[in-house]
Amino acid sequence: MNHTLYMRRALELAEWGRGYVSPNPMVGCVIVHQDRIIGEGWHRAYGGPHAEVHAINSVENQSLLPESTVYVTLEPCAHWGKTPPCANLLVEKKVKKVIIAAVDSNTLVGGKGIEILKNAGIAVETGVLEEKARWQNRRFFTQIEKQRPYVILKWAQTEDGLVARENFDSKWISNAQSRQLVHKWRAEEDAILVGKNTAAYDNPRLDVRDWVGKNPIRVVLDSHLGLPKNLNLFDQSIPTLIFNTVKSETIENLEWIRLSEINPKVILKELHSRKIQSLIVEGGSQVLSQFIESGLWDEARVFTAPTRFDRGISAPILNQNPSETLSIDTDRLDIYYHG
C-alpha cells in the first residue's frame, strides 16, 4: 500500500480543522481497505469528536474494519478528556493496522496510544510524513515543547522602511488584498496583540470582518491604563485581555490582568496558562522589536508596499533573509521563520 499517498490525504483533511480545534491539534484520519479509501474524518471543533471517530462513523460497512489500515496524522489519544480515548476505539473496532505520522510529544500522554494499540495486537507504524505533520501542527507542538504560544509577527512597511508617519498614522500602507489576507490569518489563530500606541492612534478592531471565521482573542498592552475607554478594542464584542501593572478586574468580555512587568516572556507565560496556542503580534514597532530582541517569535510576515513616507517611525529589523517571498497585488510579502 502507498502509505505516503494516504497520509497526504489525511494531512489534507486535518487542514479543515484550522482555526476551530485549538488548543487541540489538527488531526486527519483515512481508513483504507484493499487499497481503497472507505472512511475519512478530521477533528472539526474543540470539544467535539476526534478525527478517528468521524472516520470510523463514515465507514458504511463496519465489518471491513478488522481488515483495514487506519492512517492518522497524530498518535491516537489514550486519555479521557472531553471525548473518549481514540486508541481504545480502534482496539474496539479491531482494526488491522495503524499508520501514524507524528507521535504526541506531551510526556503525560505521548506513546501511550501506541502502547494500547500494540498491546491489543494491532500493527503500528510511525514516522510517515512526520516532518509535514509536525509542521502542520507547529502551534500545538510549540505550546507543548516550549511552554508558550506560537508567535507570528506581522507588520506592513513602506519601501523606505517605515511603519507609520511622524504623527503615528499608518492607514493604509498595504493594499486591500493584503488586508483581507490578514483577516484570514486572524481567523486561524487564537489571539492577536497590539501595544498602547497602536491601540490609541489606529483604533483597530482586530476582528475578521473581511473573512469568514472566528475572531481571535484581543490582547492589549496598556501598562498604566492610559487608553480611552471609547476605543473599538473595549466595545465588549470580542473577549479582550488588557495587560497592565495596575489592577485585575473582569466585566463582560473585558479582563484587566495585572502583571509584575510587561515584557514578551511574562506575556507569553500568561497566555500559555490560558491555553492560548498561537498569537499574532500586530504592533507597534516597539512591541514587535521587543519580541524580536527577546528571541520569542517563530514566524514573521512582512508586507512592503510601493509607497514612501520619507519621514516617520522605522519598521522593526530582522537580521536574516526571508524564507519565502510572495506578490500580493502591488505588495511584496516576505515570510521569515526563526531558528
Side-chain angles (χ1 to χ4, degrees):
M1 292 175 64
N2 191 333
H3 293 334
T4 300
L5 176 68
Y6 294 123
M7 192 61 78
R8 285 189 187 278
R9 176 56 182 164
L11 288 166
E12 288 177 357
L13 292 168
E15 195 64 29
W16 284 96
R18 185 175 297 280
Y20 297 99
V21 301
S22 180
N24 284 351
M26 297 177 287
V27 181
C29 181
V30 171
I31 301 175
V32 178
H33 179 263
Q34 295 182 355
D35 219 20
R36 182 175 68 90
I37 294 176
I38 61 171
E40 294 185 334
W42 68 93
H43 186 29
R44 300 179 184 181
Y46 175 65
H50 290 185
E52 298 91 328
V53 176
H54 285 298
I56 286 172
N57 289 342
S58 74
V59 176
E60 292 186 8
N61 186 352
Q62 296 275 308
S63 67
L64 298 179
L65 289 173
E67 292 300 319
S68 298
T69 299
V70 176
Y71 293 82
V72 62
T73 58
L74 186 68
E75 176 185 359
C77 62
H79 62 285
W80 283 84
K82 290 184 176 293
T83 58
C86 292
N88 292 31
L89 176 64
L90 295 174
V91 169
E92 176 189 326
K93 297 298 181 179
K94 300 178 181 178
V95 301
K96 183 179 180 180
K97 189 172 185 178
V98 178
I99 310 294
I100 298 166
V103 175
D104 194 327
S105 60
N106 187 332
T107 55
L108 297 176
V109 298
K112 293 184 179 179
I114 293 172
E115 183 181 356
I116 289 172
L117 296 172
K118 287 183 174 179
N119 287 343
I122 296 172
V124 177
E125 184 176 335
T126 63
V128 176
L129 297 184
E130 178 180 10
E131 187 174 341
K132 290 184 180 297
R134 283 186 58 86
W135 179 251
Q136 182 180 63
N137 269 318
R138 57 193 183 275
R139 294 154 180 80
F140 172 74
F141 286 111
T142 294
Q143 61 96 12
I144 288 177
E145 296 167 8
K146 296 185 178 182
Q147 297 290 293
R148 64 164 175 81
Y150 186 85
V151 177
I152 301 168
L153 310 180
K154 172 266 165 184
W155 71 87
Q157 62 187 28
T158 60
E159 63 182 5
D160 55 346
L162 303 176
V163 294
R165 296 177 176 86
E166 289 178 305
N167 64 355
F168 291 95
D169 177 37
S170 63
K171 293 184 178 180
W172 292 101
I173 294 176
S174 57
N175 63 46
Q177 190 173 340
S178 295
R179 295 197 297 272
Q180 186 178 43
L181 179 58
V182 170
H183 284 226
K184 176 181 181 293
W185 292 342
R186 289 175 180 177
E188 296 172 348
E189 311 303 339
D190 288 354
I192 183 168
L193 179 149
V194 293
K196 180 183 176 182
N197 285 342
T198 299
Y201 290 103
D202 289 356
N203 194 19
R205 301 183 203 174
L206 303 185
D207 58 15
V208 296
R209 59 192 179 278
D210 289 338
W211 198 255
V212 176
K214 67 174 182 61
N215 290 308
I217 295 170
R218 302 186 293 205
V219 181
V220 187
L221 307 184
D222 186 13
S223 294
H224 304 296
L225 298 183
L227 288 171
K229 298 301 183 287
N230 61 348
L231 293 177
N232 291 325
L233 293 174
F234 303 134
D235 64 8
Q236 298 179 267
S237 64
I238 300 170
T240 302
L241 309 177
I242 304 102
F243 288 144
N244 68 92
T245 59
V246 179
K247 70 173 183 177
S248 293
E249 182 183 347
T250 303
I251 62 175
E252 185 179 355
N253 263 355
L254 294 177
E255 184 177 358
W256 288 265
I257 301 167
R258 184 178 181 272
L259 299 176
S260 57
E261 54 184 320
I262 310 294
N263 62 51
K265 184 176 181 180
V266 174
I267 291 165
L268 295 181
K269 182 179 179 181
E270 178 65 28
L271 294 178
H272 177 70
S273 73
R274 294 166 179 266
K275 297 185 177 180
I276 291 175
Q277 194 178 93
S278 61
L279 173 71
I280 301 178
V281 181
E282 281 213 4
S285 184
Q286 183 178 351
V287 173
L288 287 159
S289 295
Q290 288 175 352
F291 276 87
I292 293 170
E293 290 163 9
S294 70
L296 294 172
W297 65 282
D298 300 286
E299 192 173 327
R301 302 170 183 177
V302 182
F303 293 100
T304 302
T307 186
R308 299 179 66 88
F309 286 170
D310 296 325
R311 293 186 302 275
I313 299 169
S314 297
I317 296 174
L318 291 168
N319 293 315
Q320 63 184 77
N321 294 322
S323 299
E324 301 175 56
T325 298
L326 306 170
S327 293
I328 312 296
D329 195 7
T330 55
D331 294 342
R332 184 182 80 239
L333 171 60
D334 292 315
I335 301 176
Y336 302 80
Y337 297 107
H338 184 224

